[in-house]
Structure formats: C-alpha cells, structure tokens
C-alpha cells in the first residue's frame, strides 16, 4: 500500500510542476547551495557539466547573440546613413537641373553608378520630344493600371512582357521598383528602376526616403514637361 502511494506521488511530479516550484521559490538554491555544485547536466558537446557551467555557457551564448544583433544594427545604421547622404546629394543636384535632360541624366547616373543598379527608365503618358535613352517610347498604360492602380510603389519581379515594354527587348532577370509619378493630384508617368539582384527590391522595403524622392522627382519632371524648356 505504501509502495503504491509512492508510485502515485512520483507520477504527480512532472517537469512543469518542478519548473513552477522553482519559479515560485527563487531562493531555493540559496537555501540549498550544495545543489549548485553537485548537480550534473548532460551537454551534447561537452559531456557532463555542472549547473553553474551550463549557466555560464548560456550567458556566453546570449552575449554572443547580442553582439551579432548589435553588429547587424550598426551595419544597417551605416547603410541608412550612406543612403540618406546619397539622397541628399541627389536632391541638391536635381534642384540645380535646368532641363528634363539634366534631370534624367542625374537620375540615371545616381541609380546605375552610385547605387550600382541595372537601369533607370521614365515613361510619361504624353508625347515627349526629347530624345533620351531613359525615356520609354512603348505604351505602359497597362503596367501603370496593373501595378500602380492602388499604390504609389511596386516592388518585386516583373513579367517578361512588362520588362520588355519598360526596359527593352534585352530585359533583366532581377527585381524592380515602379514609382508612380504624380503632381497636383495628377498621375502622369512611371519611373522604373531595376536591379540584377532578384531580391534587391522587396515588398517589405521601407518607403520613407522613397516617398520623399517620389514627390520631388514628380514635381520637377512635371514642371519640365509643362515648360517650354522641356528639350
């Protein structure tokens, strides 16, 4: 009878019960200090170790993880700082542009040379007399309606027909960002930038800097399109 009672009691002692007891009694090991050095745990890499050694190992792992996270955050911060500086320099350059050609040259240089992206193209919904390699002559109304009907940006891969319409018959196999150009509540075109990296332009990308870029470029290009100096 006593043996049966012991078995029933042991069956009631679970990992959850022990864990709950230790959490409710944080001074347990203070009241039983010998357990800290006498307890032995099996480590798959180091064999049998003490509880103190396991705690030290876990703390080292946490410190290492935190160091990696800090390094990653610092890398992101440095990248964002460089990107912010590049945007600032571009804005100053764009403000000095005297013609649509100057604007397109500045945008193309920044995207392809400074940002190492594959190409930059502009499509507007009205005829443009200016001859420039950046200007798209194909009809891109369908692209605008399909990709930018509800959002000012599209990030990701393009269908082959879309790539060819925007970037020419050679196309690109990477990812792109399409930017709807608007001014005075009027949508008048699309700025398309593509990368050879299929993962570069991701739908989760932050659009804070790009939103400011869209407003300024839209305003400047709109003014040039409606100016006698658009040549």
């Amino acid at each position: 009878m006593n043996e049966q009672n012991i078995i029933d009691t042991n069956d009631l002692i679970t990992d959850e019960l022990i864990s709950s007891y230790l959490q409710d009694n944080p001074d347990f090991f203070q009241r039983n200090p010998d357990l800290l050095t006498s307890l032995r745990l099996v480590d798959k890499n180091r064999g049998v170790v003490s509880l103190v050694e396991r705690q030290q190992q876990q703390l080292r792992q946490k410190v290492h993880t935190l160091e990696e996270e800090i390094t990653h955050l610092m890398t992101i911060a440095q990248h964002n700082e460089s990107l912010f500086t590049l945007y600032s320099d571009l804005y100053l350059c764009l403000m000095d542009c005297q013609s649509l050609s100057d604007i397109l040259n500045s945008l193309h240089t920044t995207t392809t040379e400074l940002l190492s992206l594959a190409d930059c193209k502009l499509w507007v919904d009205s005829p443009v007399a200016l001859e420039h390699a950046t200007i798209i002559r194909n009809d891109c109304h369908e692209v605008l309606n399909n990709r930018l009907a509800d959002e000012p940006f599209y990030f990701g891969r393009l269908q082959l027909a879309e790539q060819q319409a925007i970037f020419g018959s050679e196309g690109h196999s990477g990812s792109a960002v399409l930017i709807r150009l608007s001014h005075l509540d009027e949508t008048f075109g699309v700025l398309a930038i593509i990368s050879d990296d299929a993962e570069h332009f991701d739908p989760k990308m932050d659009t804070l800097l790009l939103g400011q870029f869209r407003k300024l470029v839209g305003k400047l290009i709109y003014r040039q399109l409606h100016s006698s100096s658009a040549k």
Side-chain angles (χ1 to χ4, degrees):
M1 184 67 176
N2 291 338
E3 181 180 354
Q4 182 64 41
N5 288 337
I6 292 175
I7 293 175
D8 291 341
T9 302
N10 287 338
D11 288 341
L12 293 175
I13 300 177
T14 63
D15 291 350
E16 290 77 11
L17 184 61
I18 295 173
S19 176
S20 177
Y21 175 80
L22 291 176
Q23 289 178 353
D24 293 339
N25 296 271
D27 61 340
F28 175 80
F29 286 109
Q30 292 180 351
R31 291 185 281 106
N32 301 273
D34 292 341
L35 283 175
L36 286 174
T37 55
S38 63
L39 284 176
R40 290 292 182 268
L41 305 174
V42 177
D43 187 288
K44 64 180 181 180
N45 296 321
R46 302 175 57 194
V48 179
V49 297
S50 69
L51 180 60
V52 174
E53 288 176 316
R54 172 59 69 83
Q55 289 176 324
Q56 291 175 340
Q57 181 185 9
Q58 289 180 333
L59 285 174
R60 284 194 294 268
Q61 290 175 343
K62 288 182 179 180
V63 169
H64 179 67
T65 300
L66 287 174
E67 289 176 344
E68 289 185 334
E69 291 177 353
I70 291 172
T71 300
H72 178 64
L73 290 174
M74 290 179 63
T75 301
I76 293 176
Q78 291 172 353
H79 173 73
N80 288 342
E81 182 178 0
S82 299
L83 199 60
F84 179 80
T85 301
L86 187 147
Y87 269 97
S88 298
D89 292 341
L90 173 61
Y91 292 161
L92 291 176
C93 183
L94 289 174
M95 294 299 292
D96 289 334
C97 290
Q98 299 299 313
S99 67
L100 179 59
S101 180
D102 290 343
I103 294 175
L104 296 179
N105 288 337
S106 181
L107 290 174
H108 192 269
T109 298
T110 299
T111 53
T112 59
E113 296 182 14
L114 300 183
L115 291 175
S116 300
L117 299 173
D119 205 355
C120 173
K121 295 288 188 178
L122 170 70
W123 174 80
V124 293
D125 62 0
S126 59
V128 179
L130 174 67
E131 292 294 332
H132 197 282
T134 300
I135 296 178
I136 303 169
R137 299 299 177 182
N138 297 320
D139 185 358
C140 290
H141 279 98
E142 186 174 351
V143 176
L144 175 63
N145 294 333
N146 290 342
R147 298 297 189 181
L148 298 169
D150 301 316
E151 299 293 338
F153 305 104
Y154 169 78
F155 298 95
R157 304 289 294 273
L158 296 174
Q159 296 179 0
L160 180 59
E162 293 173 326
Q163 290 184 24
Q164 292 178 343
I166 296 172
F167 298 102
S169 58
E170 68 278 4
H172 293 275
S173 60
S175 55
V177 55
L178 304 181
I179 304 170
R180 187 175 69 206
L181 296 179
S182 304
H183 184 58
L184 301 176
D185 296 326
E186 177 187 344
T187 295
F188 64 87
V190 176
L191 185 67
I193 303 171
I194 194 165
S195 169
D196 288 327
D197 181 0
E199 306 298 328
H200 185 87
F201 290 112
D202 184 272
K204 297 179 182 179
M205 290 183 68
D206 182 76
T207 60
L208 177 61
L209 290 177
L210 204 58
Q212 297 171 340
F213 170 82
R214 185 179 82 91
K215 291 179 181 178
L216 177 61
V217 171
K219 182 176 183 178
L220 294 178
I221 292 179
Y222 184 90
R223 283 182 173 179
Q224 290 298 332
L225 291 174
H226 293 78
S227 169
S228 58
S229 62
K231 57 182 178 179

